[in-house]
Amino acid sequence: MINKPKGTYDLYGKDAKVFLYLEDVIKTLMDSYNYEYIKTPVFEQSNLFHRGVGPSSDIIRKETYDFIDRGDRNMTLRPEGTASIVRSYIENKFYANNISPQKFWYIDKMYRYERPQKGRLREFFQFGCEAFDSDSPMLDAEIISIPVSLLERLGITNIKVRINSLGDEQTRKSYKEALVNYLNEKIDDLCSDCKDRFTKNPLRILDCKIDKDSPIIKNAPKITDYLTDSSKEHFDEVLEYLNDLEINYEVDPYIIRGLDYYTDTVFEIEATINDESMIICGGGRYDKLVEDLEGPQTKAIGFAVGIERIMSIIDTLKLDEDIPKNELDTFVVPLTKQANHFALSLNQALRLVGLSSELDYKQRSIKSCFKQAELLNAKFIILIGEDEIKNDYVTIKNLSTKEEKQLKNHEILEYLFEQLDSDEEHCCSCHNKDHKHEN
Ligand code: HAM
């Protein structure tokens, strides 16, 4: 038997419904925030991520899925969405658009060759947003408010927003010097990865998964003490705007984030369920990335949420009413081979007017068809036999009231809509199940 690759999963059944529900909630949320949907390729030229995400990040050092295509080009399955969207922003000249800031959202699969464990997959979905061409601290607050609103709508309340500022280039230069001075004598006590980071990118040491609880890291200098005046002003304003939006946060001066492109504001959202905490969202400003990838000077900010991590903590019982059930309006049964033609056409006609309908493809016995209709949660079963074909009618049974009727073909739709309308308050004109009468 061929199994699925390590760190991947099949999405089906209830989880698939929760996923589609989540997509719907996100879409509605993004419409209200006026963000545009964007989709980029699953693979990109490797250089994009090496230059975008940064060579000293764990993602690039050990987690990318790289391959050489048949034309000898180095390609990488995207480990995250930001670099791809920046590439698209530059390549499609979105910056020439008169509407500004330009704001995008996506739900896409990402690929990281990580050691699979709870909440850490090799193929996973991220919902993310990227907003270009504004350095307004109000936009920072807006970006942070999106995942917060999403979690609120999903009933996930036990969350902590942690925020920090990595400042501008001058900030990071002075902080790096202070950190290197501090770590100089202590680096031998940290892990081998940290020793490597010490020469390549010492700030990364603060993000080490192995040494994160070491007193050496806990007592390290704080970047917030090294912010330049303009970075401090920006950060203070972001915090004020978060207060305006009534978003609770904690300033955590040791948040560095695992990707190299961040400048100024960075943040993470942690959720705690049953004493277990996990980071479900991360983001921040990347005011230099568009330029670094050869676009015009453009400030930008974004975030991404791990969909599987959210799905693992959603209380599906609470959402049960919102998650659509498997239901069918009609189950059409041809009782003879001769009836197939009419049954197939009728089933199609029912679907075209907006009903959900299924056909018995297997020429089952009537008893099995009733069983099948019950398993499919069908509201009506429509039987078409020899007599029905000869005399131009069908037999319809309402499976909850057990009422049975013989109807002429031209009466079928009117009867069904009448019955379904009274059942579910369908809108009479559009027959859309989700559209309720306004009164
Ligand atoms: P990130 O922190 O690497 O940021 O990932 C964002 C979120 O994706 C994480 O908080 C987590 O929920 C989820 N995630 C990451 N790795 C995995 C994994 N192996 N398995 C399951 N879930 C995972 C970024 O990717 C940035 N692009 C975010 C961003 C957008 N910054 C600015 N704009």
Side-chain angles (χ1 to χ4, degrees):
M1 190 175 85
I2 300 169
N3 296 318
K4 60 185 179 299
K6 216 170 152 181
T8 67
Y9 67 101
D10 299 318
L11 181 68
Y12 59 91
K14 174 104 187 248
D15 284 345
K17 285 195 186 318
V18 174
F19 181 88
L20 291 174
Y21 166 76
L22 207 57
E23 267 191 335
D24 265 0
V25 174
I26 290 171
K27 186 185 176 311
T28 309
L29 184 72
M30 291 333 296
D31 284 346
S32 72
Y33 271 85
N34 193 34
Y35 279 57
E36 266 191 56
Y37 183 68
I38 189 164
K39 208 152 192 70
T40 56
V42 165
F43 60 94
E44 299 266 5
Q45 295 186 43
S46 302
N47 261 350
L48 173 67
F49 300 113
H50 284 262
R51 286 169 53 190
V53 177
S56 77
S57 64
D58 274 3
I59 296 180
I60 297 305
R61 282 174 58 238
K62 30 188 185 181
E63 292 171 6
T64 49
Y65 276 90
D66 300 316
F67 63 98
I68 296 173
D69 75 5
R70 289 170 195 269
D72 263 347
R73 300 174 198 90
N74 289 309
M75 295 292 173
T76 296
L77 295 185
R78 68 176 164 223
E80 59 107 47
T82 313
S84 299
I85 291 176
V86 170
R87 195 262 314 129
S88 178
Y89 178 84
I90 300 168
E91 191 168 346
N92 296 306
K93 298 189 173 58
F94 293 148
Y95 48 81
N97 195 323
N98 287 332
I99 294 173
S100 173
Q102 283 132 23
K103 312 198 270 189
F104 302 96
W105 72 277
Y106 53 93
I107 299 182
D108 273 320
K109 278 187 169 175
M110 307 295 161
Y111 299 84
R112 295 185 191 176
Y113 193 82
E114 299 204 67
R115 203 153 52 82
Q117 50 191 291
K118 191 163 182 277
R120 207 169 277 285
L121 295 155
R122 290 187 173 170
E123 183 189 60
F124 57 98
F125 279 99
Q126 279 186 343
F127 154 52
C129 286
E130 314 294 345
F132 294 90
D133 198 24
S134 167
D135 61 358
S136 166
M138 282 197 290
L139 189 58
D140 299 42
E142 169 175 299
I143 280 287
I144 297 171
S145 78
I146 297 172
V148 170
S149 305
L150 173 67
L151 296 170
E152 220 165 73
R153 285 186 196 199
L154 296 173
I156 300 170
T157 48
N158 203 359
I159 62 159
K160 222 180 244 170
V161 177
R162 282 204 293 265
I163 184 166
N164 189 21
S165 173
L166 300 181
D168 51 17
E169 262 176 82
Q170 182 53 46
T171 304
R172 288 189 299 279
K173 191 164 169 271
S174 359
Y175 179 62
K176 200 165 142 185
E177 275 170 26
L179 190 64
V180 167
N181 278 339
Y182 167 80
L183 289 172
N184 227 341
E185 312 262 285
K186 304 174 178 71
I187 191 68
D188 287 345
D189 297 332
L190 296 178
C191 73
S192 58
D193 270 359
C194 282
K195 288 183 190 107
D196 192 35
R197 290 171 184 132
F198 186 66
T199 46
K200 293 193 178 129
N201 186 351
L203 265 69
R204 267 281 90 75
I205 292 176
L206 302 177
D207 200 37
C208 177
K209 285 167 196 147
I210 300 168
D211 285 323
K212 65 181 186 324
D213 294 323
S214 152
I216 300 179
I217 288 181
K218 289 196 159 159
N219 296 319
K222 299 178 167 74
I223 195 163
T224 37
D225 293 333
Y226 294 84
L227 294 177
T228 56
D229 289 348
S230 62
S231 281
K232 181 160 175 20
E233 190 184 336
H234 182 93
F235 191 43
D236 287 344
E237 282 188 43
V238 174
L239 301 184
E240 279 170 31
Y241 292 132
L242 287 177
N243 291 335
D244 290 339
L245 296 179
E246 297 178 11
I247 292 174
N248 293 323
Y249 58 82
E250 203 176 87
V251 174
D252 178 345
Y254 296 122
I255 291 183
I256 292 301
R257 306 272 306 125
L259 305 100
D260 284 351
Y261 46 62
Y262 290 112
T263 55
D264 284 297
T265 313
V266 284
F267 69 98
E268 288 180 347
I269 302 181
E270 185 183 71
T272 305
I273 303 286
N274 302 331
D275 290 339
E276 234 185 279
S277 297
M278 76 181 136
I279 306 287
I280 49 179
C281 172
R285 276 208 162 268
Y286 47 93
D287 286 346
K288 291 275 177 280
L289 184 58
V290 181
E291 255 174 289
D292 287 349
L293 294 174
E294 289 159 52
Q297 241 187 25
T298 309
K299 314 270 173 150
I301 180 164
F303 74 86
V305 161
I307 292 286
E308 290 78 6
R309 293 194 190 177
I310 292 210
M311 296 214 347
S312 72
I313 56 176
I314 259 183
D315 186 345
T316 43
L317 286 179
K318 262 200 221 154
L319 296 176
D320 233 20
E321 275 197 3
D322 298 330
I323 297 171
K325 316 252 172 324
N326 267 344
E327 260 184 358
L328 211 52
D329 291 321
T330 50
F331 186 59
V332 181
V333 178
L335 292 168
T336 65
K337 189 149 193 261
Q338 206 198 354
N340 280 353
H341 301 284
F342 180 70
L344 183 74
S345 308
L346 175 62
N347 187 45
Q348 185 70 353
L350 294 171
R351 288 170 173 174
L352 289 178
V353 294
L355 300 183
S356 56
S357 190
E358 187 52 282
L359 182 68
D360 176 41
Y361 294 96
K362 301 183 102 175
Q363 221 87 67
R364 275 174 274 231
S365 68
I366 292 200
K367 197 171 161 212
S368 307
C369 282
F370 270 93
K371 184 82 206 143
Q372 195 65 205
E374 192 187 314
L375 289 172
L376 290 166
N377 280 329
K379 294 180 185 129
F380 293 88
I381 192 163
I382 303 181
L383 305 168
I384 306 153
E386 219 169 285
D387 192 50
E388 277 89 347
I389 291 289
K390 211 184 290 165
N391 298 306
D392 189 26
Y393 73 93
V394 299
T395 302
I396 295 193
K397 184 162 184 172
N398 182 326
L399 292 172
S400 54
T401 63
K402 310 290 177 219
E403 183 190 37
E404 195 174 295
K405 272 196 168 296
Q406 255 97 49
L407 296 176
K408 287 285 180 199
N409 294 344
H410 67 269
E411 297 169 331
I412 301 173
L413 285 184
E414 197 182 336
Y415 170 77
L416 282 173
F417 284 135
E418 218 172 73
Q419 295 280 309
L420 290 166
D421 274 348
S422 62
D423 244 26
E424 294 195 34
E425 292 179 50
H426 278 208
C427 168
C428 302
S429 55
C430 67
H431 299 294
N432 177 349
K433 267 187 292 180
D434 300 325
H435 185 181
K436 302 252 192 299
H437 290 289
E438 282 165 28
N439 51 27

